[in-house]
Amino acid sequence: MTTIKAKQRDNEPVTPASWERAVAEGRRRRSITLQATQVSYLPQHEALVVGFADNAAILLPINNYPELVRLSTAELGRIVIGYGGSALCLEEQDLHVSIAGLVAASAPLMALAVTVVAARNGSRSSAAKALAVRENGRKGGRPRKVLPTE
């Protein structure tokens, strides 16, 4: 078992400047993390709708998740967002399920996530890529494909 020690922090007094730094750090962390803002159960679809700060939402069918299938309709209606917007929680059942884990358990949602990440990463340009493009341009650009003759 690994022991993890808490970081030693200076007990600096809270000043307007330290307060502003803390608020700015909180905003920065919130903007880069998964943060759901609402959850609702839709009995007609037998699914949970998880909403996010930008008004986007995902529909998670209950039957796809063993940890949710065993819950009653009333319990599904009492699920709340917890852990800073990263989990679905139902305290009475001691249920705490990661939203990212629910998405990862869905093959179509994971395929969509992979496509989005690949598209985003493919559009990034590094200094090395930009230099290679300029050098290839000086040489006349990308060579034409040679079609095989029959």
Side-chain angles (χ1 to χ4, degrees):
M1 181 196 255
T2 304
T3 303
I4 300 173
K5 293 185 178 184
K7 291 180 183 176
Q8 288 288 61
R9 299 196 185 263
D10 296 330
N11 287 332
E12 73 175 271
V14 176
T15 63
S18 66
W19 179 263
E20 288 301 319
R21 282 194 310 273
V23 168
E25 177 64 14
R27 285 190 184 121
R28 185 191 68 77
R29 286 184 185 177
R30 184 175 57 208
S31 70
I32 60 172
T33 60
L34 173 71
Q35 187 174 23
T37 56
Q38 59 188 356
V39 62
S40 302
Y41 177 60
L42 299 178
Q44 67 272 27
H45 295 287
E46 294 183 345
L48 289 174
V49 177
V50 179
F52 299 91
D54 67 349
N55 292 323
I58 55 173
L59 191 70
L60 302 170
I62 299 304
N63 292 332
N64 292 359
Y65 306 101
E67 52 274 277
L68 300 176
V69 165
R70 62 183 173 82
L71 301 176
S72 70
T73 302
E75 290 171 326
L76 290 166
R78 290 193 296 271
I79 290 177
V80 297
I81 301 293
Y83 295 98
S86 67
L88 301 181
C89 302
L90 182 62
E91 292 299 328
E92 65 197 63
Q93 292 288 334
D94 195 27
L95 177 73
H96 306 92
V97 184
S98 159
I99 295 168
L102 293 172
V103 169
S106 168
L109 287 177
M110 276 307 293
L112 176 64
V114 167
T115 302
V116 169
V117 169
R120 178 171 286 170
N121 288 341
S123 67
R124 289 189 179 157
S125 183
S126 67
K129 282 184 185 177
L131 179 61
V133 167
R134 282 193 297 274
E135 286 182 18
N136 286 336
R138 284 188 204 114
K139 296 177 189 175
R142 183 184 297 258
R144 298 261 183 225
K145 286 187 178 179
V146 177
L147 298 174
T149 56
E150 292 183 52

